[in-house]
């Protein structure tokens, strides 16, 4: 099967598909609206580095698109289109079919369109480049946190890292935490709603401590956070109580929840957003002018977030 | 060295660089103009598949961007920005420095800006996603060839394939042909000029026969081409005269020249373009309604272009 038939067979999804946007030509051609800016992000997923070798094709497809969508969520974007560069060791029709079905399902859920791709032979690797739009000068940035802003995270932190830790120790994670690891939900709706509420925002991919530090560094501010305020599921809370392993929560990463800062004057807007849309966000700290991150709680070790190299 | 410092060290080029466009945030933020459409294309380059293992970092960087620029050339686009997903087996500072310098040099030559990237650990692989713009509905497509159109190619065909053949046979290619293989020149200027002259266009990456066939298939037309009219350098011509190995020219690929069709009424425009800009294009055939590709000349074998799988 050659590259052309591979794409035709597995990634020509009909409807708002490749061909409608000009694929089959050398480039996809895409309409753009005035008064908007493009936002774009790229991430590579490699077997054994970003997911265990026994991960299903369906979960690989889901997560490799979801983590890119999470980047768009963090800037408050509306998603538009993505490209897929897929490197495969061989042609496994069942694998490709499952991969494609799962990718399409997530793409459809968020209304993002696959406009181009490349398939190559090599070790399994997936590079996805997502593009969306924001109204001009309305992108949420890391660099806009203000002293006095309250710091929030969405949902719960540490579930994916706990699942990963259990997998590495040959334990069986609960369905809930393994699902948080394999199928993190991109917080696109929340990100879009935050553009008139938050000052700074990031998605937690590398770990809460490292990602919050990105906001602090780029905004030239400091912060204090209360470990006891970090929202945890019951099983992660139980694990922490037993082990005091706060590194799992602070540096585990793979959460794909949003961490954002918002001024006190916007708290009514934030509460209204939560009530209207059943969104859970929790205040974990406050931005200050210390130029450092202070962690208040029973924790005295430095955390070192995950690094690829 | 972590991902952040890797990007800062090797790919923060100052001037029109990452930071100005918002990198360091989750996404790059890019201004767009009204009355234009985006065109985007992605290609992956893998060691041992797309380039020999002993290829220099400088040549790898050049070619992996150049072949993507060539895709934009084929639709007549003006280039805007690109993203880089770089997978490396280890951190080799000298290699990274050479790779970065070469990439920047080519990017600067064509005025395209690096806006985002991801670095991961694994077998050497480079995925580049380039984006440009075309005036609305002015993209050159593969699907617009008309019966009676003349068929042209730019410059010469087969040089890169001849260099690759010599490398595989442990022969030493001439500096000219190895340069055509490692450093093909994206025909962006020509592509832009063709938007008011040509009906259909493609860049020759997979081989003249296969790529011309893409035009024929998508335009629902046929063609005849004269082998003797295909422009060849002296050394490829000499090789063909000795071996009758037309497959090298027709299916070798890696040319990154443009193959386009244009109506007879536009020949004056095309000639003026050639004279004014010292551009070489050569007529090699004509579009007909046969729904087949007829090759006229001393050649009676079917050619099979290179396939990854």
């Amino acid at each position: 099967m050659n590259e052309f038939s591979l794409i035709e067979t597995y990634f020509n999804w009909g409807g708002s598909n490749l061909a409608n946007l000009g694929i089959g030509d050398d480039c996809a051609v895409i309409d753009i609206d005035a008064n908007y800016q493009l936002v774009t992000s790229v991430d590579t997923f490699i077997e054994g580095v970003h997911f265990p070798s026994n991960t299903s094709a369906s979960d690989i497809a889901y997560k490799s698109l979801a983590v890119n969508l999470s980047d768009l969520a963090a800037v408050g974007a509306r998603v538009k289109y993505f490209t897929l560069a897929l490197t495969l060791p061989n042609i496994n029709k069942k694998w490709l079919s499952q991969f494609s079905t799962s990718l399409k399902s997530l793409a459809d859920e968020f209304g993002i369109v696959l406009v181009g791709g490349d398939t190559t032979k090599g070790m399994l690797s997936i590079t996805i480049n997502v593009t969306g739009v924001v109204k001009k000068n309305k992108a949420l940035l890391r660099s806009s946190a203000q002293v006095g802003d309250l710091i929030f995270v969405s949902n719960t932190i540490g579930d994916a890292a706990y699942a990963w830790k259990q997998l590495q120790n040959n334990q069986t994670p609960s369905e809930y935490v393994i699902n948080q690891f394999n199928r993190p939900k991109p917080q696109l709706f929340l990100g879009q709603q935050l553009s008139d509420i938050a000052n700074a925002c990031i998605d937690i991919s590398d770990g809460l401590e490292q990602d919050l530090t990105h906001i602090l560094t780029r905004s030239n501010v400091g912060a204090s956070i209360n470990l006891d305020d970090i929202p945890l599921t019951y099983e992660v809370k139980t694990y922490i109580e037993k082990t005091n392993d706060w590194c799992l929560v602070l540096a585990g990463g793979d959460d794909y929840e949003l961490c954002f800062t918002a001024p006190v004057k916007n708290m009514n807007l934030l509460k209204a957003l939560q009530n209207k849309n059943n969104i859970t966000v929790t205040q974990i700290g406050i931005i200050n002018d210390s130029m450092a991150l202070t962690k208040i709680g029973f924790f005295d070790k430095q955390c070192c977030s995950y690094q690829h190299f």
Side-chain angles (χ1 to χ4, degrees), chain A residues 60 140 269 300:
Chain A
I60 294 169
L140 286 167
L269 284 173
D300 54 8

Side-chain angles (χ1 to χ4, degrees), chain A residues 157-225:
Chain A
I157 306 297
D159 303 318
Y162 185 54
W164 179 229
K165 188 172 199 77
Q166 290 184 297
L167 287 175
Q168 285 177 305
N169 294 332
N170 294 316
Q171 296 171 305
T172 306
S174 72
E175 197 178 321
Y176 180 77
V177 296
I178 192 67
N179 210 40
Q180 294 295 98
F181 178 66
N182 283 327
R183 299 194 162 235
K185 188 172 160 59
Q187 299 296 319
L188 282 161
F189 178 77
L190 175 59
Q192 289 159 19
Q193 301 302 313
L194 287 176
S195 70
D196 290 324
I197 297 174
N199 278 333
C201 187
I202 196 169
D203 71 316
I204 306 171
S205 52
D206 296 314
L208 176 58
E209 178 164 5
Q210 181 165 316
D211 288 317
L212 176 56
T213 301
H214 287 314
I215 288 183
L216 304 183
T217 308
R218 291 184 51 89
S219 301
N220 287 313
V221 293
S224 69
I225 58 171

Side-chain angles (χ1 to χ4, degrees), chain A residues 48-69:
Chain A
V49 179
H50 301 93
F51 55 87
S53 295
N54 60 356
T55 308
S56 72
S58 176
D59 284 343
I60 294 169
Y62 181 100
K63 193 165 179 181
S64 52
L65 178 56
V67 304
N68 274 287
L69 294 179

Side-chain angles (χ1 to χ4, degrees), chain A residues 225-238:
Chain A
I225 58 171
N226 292 295
L227 297 193
D228 285 341
D229 290 343
I230 298 174
L232 306 176
T233 50
Y234 178 75
E235 53 191 310
V236 172
K237 200 179 183 74
T238 306

Side-chain angles (χ1 to χ4, degrees), chain A residues 42-295:
Chain A
V42 61
D43 276 303
T44 297
F45 251 54
I46 295 177
E47 183 174 26
V49 179
H50 301 93
F51 55 87
S53 295
N54 60 356
T55 308
S56 72
S58 176
D59 284 343
I60 294 169
Y62 181 100
K63 193 165 179 181
S64 52
L65 178 56
V67 304
N68 274 287
L69 294 179
S70 181
D71 281 327
L72 290 193
V75 297
R78 285 194 284 147
V79 299
K80 294 290 262 187
Y81 66 87
F82 70 106
T83 59
L84 166 71
L86 183 58
T87 302
L88 299 169
N90 52 52
I91 300 286
N92 177 329
K93 291 185 179 180
K94 189 176 163 197
W95 191 98
L96 271 163
S97 171
Q98 290 172 343
F99 183 92
S100 165
T101 302
S102 172
L103 196 69
K104 179 178 188 324
S105 169
L106 182 61
D108 286 351
E109 183 180 341
F110 288 100
I112 191 167
V113 179
L114 177 64
V115 299
D118 189 23
T119 56
T120 46
K121 187 164 186 169
M123 282 178 64
L124 181 58
S125 162
I126 301 103
T127 297
I128 286 181
N129 197 151
V130 290
T131 299
V133 295
V134 286
K135 283 197 182 149
K136 269 194 179 151
N137 304 317
K138 293 292 274 181
L140 286 167
L141 302 176
R142 299 177 180 183
S143 53
S144 310
Q146 303 292 323
V147 172
D149 277 2
L150 307 180
I151 304 167
F152 295 85
V153 293
S154 59
N155 300 305
T156 55
I157 306 297
D159 303 318
Y162 185 54
W164 179 229
K165 188 172 199 77
Q166 290 184 297
L167 287 175
Q168 285 177 305
N169 294 332
N170 294 316
Q171 296 171 305
T172 306
S174 72
E175 197 178 321
Y176 180 77
V177 296
I178 192 67
N179 210 40
Q180 294 295 98
F181 178 66
N182 283 327
R183 299 194 162 235
K185 188 172 160 59
Q187 299 296 319
L188 282 161
F189 178 77
L190 175 59
Q192 289 159 19
Q193 301 302 313
L194 287 176
S195 70
D196 290 324
I197 297 174
N199 278 333
C201 187
I202 196 169
D203 71 316
I204 306 171
S205 52
D206 296 314
L208 176 58
E209 178 164 5
Q210 181 165 316
D211 288 317
L212 176 56
T213 301
H214 287 314
I215 288 183
L216 304 183
T217 308
R218 291 184 51 89
S219 301
N220 287 313
V221 293
S224 69
I225 58 171
N226 292 295
L227 297 193
D228 285 341
D229 290 343
I230 298 174
L232 306 176
T233 50
Y234 178 75
E235 53 191 310
V236 172
K237 200 179 183 74
T238 306
Y239 167 78
I240 298 289
E241 282 170 358
K242 273 189 204 154
T243 60
N244 202 33
D245 177 16
W246 279 99
C247 273
L248 182 106
V249 172
L250 291 171
D254 256 349
D255 297 294
Y256 302 104
E257 298 297 340
L258 297 185
C259 174
F260 62 95
T261 81
V264 174
K265 71 178 170 63
N266 287 348
M267 286 308 103
N268 283 344
L269 284 173
L270 186 59
K271 269 178 200 149
L273 175 66
Q274 288 186 261
N275 293 338
K276 192 175 165 195
N277 300 286
N278 202 21
I279 285 171
T280 304
V281 300
T282 306
Q283 190 196 333
I284 62 165
I286 188 164
I287 298 290
N288 59 38
D289 61 1
S290 70
M291 302 298 288
L293 175 60
T294 308
K295 291 162 286 181

